[in-house]
Structure formats: structure tokens, C-alpha cells
Amino acid sequence: MTQDKPNKGDETAPSPEQLREQVEATREELGETVEALAAKTDVKARAQEKTAAVRHQVAEKTTQVRTQLKDKATHAAHVVQDRTPEPVRAKAAAATEQVHDKAVHVAELARDKAPEPVREKAGQGMQVARANRTPLLTAAGALIALLLIRRARRHR
């Protein structure tokens, strides 16, 4: 804001126009400094910005982890299926079919004897199961195959 004092005789004193320009430049710098300080002291705005940034990072990480888990689960299911001998897979498929048939039979019996509110809740559960049929059947098949493999190894 202050200027070096000119050496006597070397330079002339600044003109009024130069002084006005210096004052205007100093005002602009001071205004920018005040705005920067005000932005730093606005804790609420800074907290909101930080919250938004963290929320965005968490969403990205969640998507990434979800994708990785889905890929690993799919890979694990394929590995189990590939390593399972054909006779075991055939038995697992037959067992799955038997379980399905028994489940249908039990469901019919339960539906006939259950009161109306219970039937409504069961219907909602069935809709969810139908919407997620592939993952449920894959998990059930993998579980049955795993149990059959463990059983076969125990009998050796």
C-alpha cells in the first residue's frame, strides 16, 4: 500500500492520476482479500461443500464396491459350477426340483388354511421372491451343490 520513497532528484512525484490508479488497485486487492476471508469464515457454506464432496465420494465408493461384490459372487458361482462334477450337478438339479415341488405343495396347503391377512403378506413375499428369482435359485443351487460335495467327501 505504501510506495518506496523516491530518491530526491531521481524521479518526480507521482501525478494525481497515478495516485488514483494506485488507490483503485489497492481497493480492488483489499476487496478480494475481504471476500476471501469472508468465504473462509463462512463455516456453514464450507461444511455444506465438504458434506456434498463426502457424499459424492461415498456414493462412488458404494457403487464401486457393489459392482465388485456382484462380480465376485458371479465368479464364485461359476467356479463352483465348473468344479462340480456332472453327477453332483444332476443330483442338485433333481433336489432343487423336488424342493420346488414340495414348496409348491406346502404353499397350497398353507394358503388354503391361512387367514386373509396372512395370505396378503405371503403374496407380497412371493412377489419379492419372483422379482429376485435368478439370484435366489443360483444361491439355492450353489448351496445344494456345496452340501452334496461335502456329503460326498465325508463318505469317501
Side-chain angles (χ1 to χ4, degrees):
M1 209 159 114
T2 60
Q3 200 177 34
D4 292 338
K5 294 182 181 178
N7 294 338
K8 292 185 180 182
D10 287 349
E11 289 185 28
T12 60
S15 70
E17 185 59 35
Q18 290 174 332
L19 288 174
R20 283 187 194 104
E21 288 175 5
Q22 288 176 352
V23 168
E24 185 60 34
T26 303
R27 282 183 183 157
E28 285 182 26
E29 288 178 24
L30 184 59
E32 291 172 3
T33 303
V34 168
E35 285 179 14
L37 288 173
K40 284 186 177 182
T41 59
D42 189 0
V43 176
K44 184 177 179 181
R46 292 183 72 191
Q48 288 174 342
E49 290 172 2
K50 185 68 173 177
T51 302
V54 169
R55 186 178 294 134
H56 181 68
Q57 288 176 343
V58 167
E60 285 180 350
K61 191 66 172 177
T62 301
T63 302
Q64 181 183 11
V65 168
R66 184 181 298 135
T67 302
Q68 288 175 347
L69 286 174
K70 186 177 178 182
D71 292 345
K72 285 182 181 183
T74 302
H75 177 69
H78 287 298
V79 167
V80 168
Q81 188 176 13
D82 291 344
R83 290 186 180 177
T84 305
E86 183 57 40
V88 173
R89 280 191 265 170
K91 284 183 180 180
T96 302
E97 185 64 32
Q98 286 177 346
V99 168
H100 179 266
D101 291 343
K102 290 284 184 184
V104 168
H105 180 68
V106 168
E108 289 173 355
L109 290 175
R111 184 180 55 228
D112 291 342
K113 297 188 183 229
E116 185 60 33
V118 173
R119 283 189 223 163
E120 288 177 15
K121 289 291 183 183
Q124 291 172 356
M126 290 299 294
Q127 287 177 348
V128 170
R130 283 187 186 119
N132 298 307
R133 179 178 288 166
T134 302
L136 286 173
L137 290 177
T138 302
L143 180 63
I144 291 170
L146 199 64
L147 292 173
L148 289 173
I149 290 170
R150 287 182 66 194
R151 184 176 178 191
R153 286 184 182 169
R154 285 186 189 161
H155 291 300
R156 285 186 189 173

